[in-house]
Amino acid sequence: QVQLVESGGGLVQPGGSLRLSCAASGMIRSIDGMGWYRQAPGKQRELVASISSGGTINYVDSVKGRFTISRDNAKNTVYLQMNSLKPEDTAVYYCNARLQILSSYNWYEYWGQGTQVTVSS
């Protein structure tokens, strides 16, 4: 069994900062890419940032220069540092990981349960 557990969401004023964390645990053989998605009410889920096992990083244009994704491979954890937050960043943020479990060499996509980020004055 594999779990992705997110933390760090909350309510913040415009211009503020939050740091999201996502820890993968369980019977994991290897983790490839990890990323953060978000879904605002009435909108489709979108990829916010991703980081490969080799450290290649991508961001959606709307967060470039404000958000920073990083990962700690020893802890199977990915982070999202969010600065200069705007009301339009309000959404449920989901962690995603592509990984192998111990009982198989296939790759699987796993998702966290989501954490709410609300940017409002």
Side-chain angles (χ1 to χ4, degrees):
Q1 192 78 331
V2 173
Q3 282 189 312
L4 270 60
V5 179
E6 299 140 341
S7 60
L11 173 64
V12 64
Q13 292 187 340
S17 298
L18 284 174
R19 188 189 193 216
L20 305 183
S21 300
C22 172
S25 63
M27 310 296 279
I28 298 170
R29 178 187 302 279
S30 178
I31 301 178
D32 187 10
M34 303 185 81
W36 290 94
Y37 289 70
R38 66 185 179 188
Q39 188 166 20
K43 294 189 176 181
Q44 289 190 331
R45 188 175 296 190
E46 67 169 349
L47 175 63
V48 176
S50 65
I51 182 168
S52 72
S53 57
T56 299
I57 290 174
N58 289 288
Y59 297 102
V60 67
D61 285 347
S62 60
V63 308
K64 286 181 180 177
R66 301 187 297 122
F67 290 10
T68 302
I69 189 171
S70 60
R71 64 190 283 175
D72 184 335
N73 292 328
K75 296 181 179 180
N76 288 341
T77 299
V78 63
Y79 306 95
L80 187 68
Q81 178 66 44
M82 306 185 292
N83 298 329
S84 302
L85 282 160
K86 304 176 181 180
E88 50 263 44
D89 295 317
T90 296
V92 178
Y93 284 69
Y94 297 90
C95 171
N96 170 272
R98 182 173 182 267
L99 56 83
Q100 290 177 317
I101 58 177
L102 288 177
S103 60
S104 172
Y105 285 94
N106 293 330
W107 292 96
Y108 299 94
E109 296 280 341
Y110 280 84
W111 292 88
Q113 79 284 359
T115 185
Q116 177 70 46
V117 172
T118 302
V119 185
S120 174
S121 54

